[in-house]
Amino acid sequence: MEMTIILLFCLCGMSLSEHVESGSNVQPGKDGVTRHRVKRSWVWNQFFVLEEYTGNDPLYVGKLHSDVDQGDGNVKYVLSGEGATSIFIIDENTGDIHATKRLDREEQAYYTLRAQAVDRLTNKPVEPESEFVIKIQDINDNEPKFLDGPYTAGVPEMSPVGTSVIQVTATDADDPTYGNSARVVYSILQGQPYFSVEPKTGIIRTALPNMDREAKDQYLLVIQAKDMVGQMGGLSGTTSVTVTLSDVNDNPPRFPRKSYQYNIPESLPAVSVVAKIKAADADVGPNAEMEYRIIDGDGLGMFKISTDKETQEGVISLEKELDFETKSSYNLRIEVTNKNNDTQYMNLGLFSDMTAVKIIVEDVDEPPIFNSPVNRMVVSEEAKIGTVIGTVAAHDPDASNSPIRYSIDRNTDLERYFNIDATTGVISTAKQLDREMNAVHNITLLAMESYNPTQVGKGIALITVLDINDNAPMFAIEYETFLCEHAQPGEVIQTISAVDKDEPPSGHRFYFALTPETASNLNFTLRDNKDNTASILTKRSDFRRQEQSIYKLPILIVDSGTPSLSSTNTLTIRVCDCDPDGTAQSCNAEAYILPAGLSTGALIAILACVLTLLVLVLLIVTMRRRKKEPLIFDEERDIRENIVRYDDEGGGEEDTEAFDMAALRNLNVIRDTKTRRDVTPEIQFFSRPSFKSIPDNVIFREFIWERLKEADIDPCAPPYDSLQTYAFEGNGSVAESLSSLESLSTDSDQNYDYLSDWGPRFKKLADMYGNNSEDSIFS
């Protein structure tokens, strides 16, 4: 389809006088000749080109022409700017402009280009450069789109018709200023008759009254937007809107049943949950929150009801303890109401409900109950064994009224101070009491049903032991009294007080005095301060440590009990050398014997040095007594490689752990002999003689002697003889000594002098087993 491009206007051939507003613009040339400036002879503003052109030939846009162009081919037209040469081309001879590509207004609505007419030969402009615009003309090639879709919205249930739900908006990329390509109208494709949409605004509204969330709580709407004002040929787009009905309190709570019955045992403790009931409410959230209360019945004081915030159940709990023998059933009338009521829905009905609850108490076999949970009794600590302290009583709360037997929980009376009569409940003393050891006895009493011993009740007896004056007073502390040598007569050197384990009702009153035999002493006197304290005073001066360093002063203390008790306590007084302030410096008489200038600190330093030297000497001796290195080294150390006392002849016949006796009895045991490392290869193995039927002592002696010789050349055996005999022991044993020291004596068949030739590594062995071994071992 060939399109025509319209040139809006073209102004040509304007004279100089028409172009200049005031006067003429005359300028002299270089040659002196006056020339007039020539006005541009071609001007244009705007071209239009239709978008989305699908033809095969380039699309004609428009034509450029200058009045300078006489048609002789001397003028050439040049195009530059946006899209020049790539999108738009110009015929340089005719000035015709064509579009070579398909244009999209939604990508770019217009292009700004520049045109110029130049002399073809000189390539100089014959007209000034001018700018023009090619505007892309819109066509309806874009459908409306819901950029924010899909949508979700909510509206309260039971909303009136016309309640606004949500507004949807569609956009069209076409030019809204040209034609109807971008003018959109809305319609509802799905969701009727419940909802409607306004065609121009896209506002969705309710279309039906009394929509019930409990019947249906969610709706799916499909909204269409169509351009061209909804006319035929317009493009359209759709979106979905999910509308959820929110809950309102339009449903009252209702009990599923008009009455309930629960059985509970009478032993159920207080504050226990008895039962749970729940009313049904079709609403959700805060609109379904309920409150329960007991409004009537004979169990108002025994039970209470509360609301479980999570489950909205009515929780019935026990307030007091039950007693089947007193009351066996209770009736309650319970009301439920909504916690949050909406007045606009009160016309739908009463928003409360009632139900009846019957609670039946079941009888259980209960343990006996003491008439008094805590029985307080008193007894004197001088009470004789068998003295009656008091009586306790318990009863069976059940209708059977079983007889009761009493006992004491001995875990609370480990010393068994008390007894209780199993039938009468009389408590008496079983041992002598001592208030100073235990002033109050807290014992647990047990009451058991005679017919059902598993039912045991517990009670408490608090037995207070009354005090008697059976303890003499004594010093409050162990006094450490110091007396300065320069003390003056009448000086107080110690203030003493007393304590008494007894606790008389009126409090303690102690009397202090010197014993009769020391009352007339010439050194010290005592003054009773009448406040349960006494002061010790000096009677003379010039105390000397070298004369007497310690004084023993017996003091008599008497209490005020009935009868009164007394005790004699000895106060030790040390004579000390004091500084001018009266602080004791030295209290030992031996200090006078010490040399002048040698202080106690110096003596301590000397003793410390002596102890250090002794420790060093002991350490050196211990290091020198280190274990000797074994002569034989093997990859796997033999467990027998221990230091063995050579005079240890074994444990005798009773020692069966160190060696297997079967080896001594089996004389035909074949052993593989091996060469010792410390024996030269030239030494040959000893041949095993054949044993005949000879006496046992001879057989054992020959057998042990052979074992000894084999051990000397066995590389797996230690260098000393660890073989012990069990059949013979003592000095007179016919087996003789098996010590390796004797085996290495000069009479031994084995000579170890060759060890000296084996190098420095075997020097120690050579010293031990060579000719001078005796000197080296005991040196």
Side-chain angles (χ1 to χ4, degrees), residues 172-189:
D172 195 316
D174 293 326
D175 190 357
T177 63
Y178 180 75
N180 295 327
S181 299
R183 295 182 61 185
V184 177
V185 293
Y186 301 93
S187 61
I188 184 168
L189 301 182

Side-chain angles (χ1 to χ4, degrees), residues 677-680 683 750-758:
R677 300 180 191 177
D678 53 349
V679 180
T680 55
I683 298 178
Q750 183 67 44
N751 188 359
Y752 292 93
D753 292 341
Y754 59 87
L755 292 174
S756 302
D757 302 329
W758 284 19

Side-chain angles (χ1 to χ4, degrees), residues 407-646:
S407 61
I408 295 176
D409 184 356
R410 291 304 177 183
N411 290 324
T412 60
D413 185 26
L414 297 175
E415 300 294 333
R416 295 181 177 267
Y417 284 109
F418 307 97
N419 286 330
I420 186 171
D421 189 281
T423 305
T424 62
V426 174
I427 300 176
S428 59
T429 59
K431 290 178 66 175
Q432 191 66 41
L433 302 176
D434 187 355
R435 189 206 64 84
E436 285 69 42
M437 293 183 60
N438 195 348
V440 178
H441 294 266
N442 184 349
I443 62 175
T444 300
L445 305 176
L446 305 177
M448 179 189 305
E449 290 185 11
S450 298
Y451 300 150
N452 186 3
T454 60
Q455 294 297 328
V456 179
K458 292 185 178 182
I460 295 176
L462 291 178
I463 303 174
T464 302
V465 181
L466 300 179
D467 185 38
I468 62 172
N469 191 26
D470 58 344
N471 290 277
M474 61 185 64
F475 278 157
I477 60 174
E478 187 172 345
Y479 293 99
E480 188 175 4
T481 304
F482 300 99
L483 172 63
C484 293
E485 290 181 309
H486 56 73
Q488 300 300 317
E491 183 176 331
V492 176
I493 62 173
Q494 182 70 60
T495 299
I496 60 175
S497 62
V499 293
D500 194 328
K501 293 181 180 180
D502 297 320
E503 290 185 2
S506 59
H508 289 290
R509 176 68 180 95
F510 301 116
Y511 304 92
F512 301 88
L514 296 178
T515 58
E517 58 271 16
T518 58
S520 59
N521 77 88
L522 301 177
N523 299 313
F524 306 98
T525 186
L526 182 144
R527 181 181 66 204
D528 194 333
N529 297 326
K530 308 300 182 181
D531 59 354
N532 289 341
T533 65
S535 299
I536 309 300
L537 299 88
T538 57
K539 294 177 68 175
R540 66 179 180 89
S541 60
D542 297 330
F543 290 93
R544 293 290 181 266
R545 284 180 293 167
Q546 63 272 24
E547 296 177 359
Q548 185 174 350
S549 61
I550 297 177
Y551 293 88
K552 302 288 185 177
L553 186 64
I555 299 175
L556 180 67
I557 307 176
V558 183
D559 62 16
S560 58
T562 303
S564 62
L565 298 178
S566 64
S567 67
T568 300
N569 299 262
T570 301
L571 181 67
T572 301
I573 304 173
R574 296 180 179 274
V575 181
C576 301
D577 179 24
C578 302
D579 58 12
D581 296 331
T583 304
Q585 298 295 321
S586 176
C587 300
N588 296 326
E590 291 78 4
Y592 287 99
I593 306 174
L594 297 177
L598 189 59
S599 63
T600 304
L603 288 175
I604 294 174
I606 293 172
L607 290 175
C609 293
V610 172
L611 289 175
T612 304
L613 291 175
L614 289 175
V615 171
L616 290 175
V617 170
L618 290 175
L619 182 61
I620 293 172
V621 171
T622 303
M623 294 298 293
R624 295 190 63 180
R625 293 183 178 179
R626 296 173 58 187
K627 295 181 180 181
K628 298 290 190 293
E629 292 293 333
L631 289 177
I632 299 177
F633 297 90
D634 200 352
E635 293 181 359
E636 297 181 2
R637 293 181 60 89
D638 197 295
I639 60 173
R640 297 171 295 171
E641 291 180 357
N642 301 311
I643 297 177
V644 178
R645 293 172 56 90
Y646 294 105

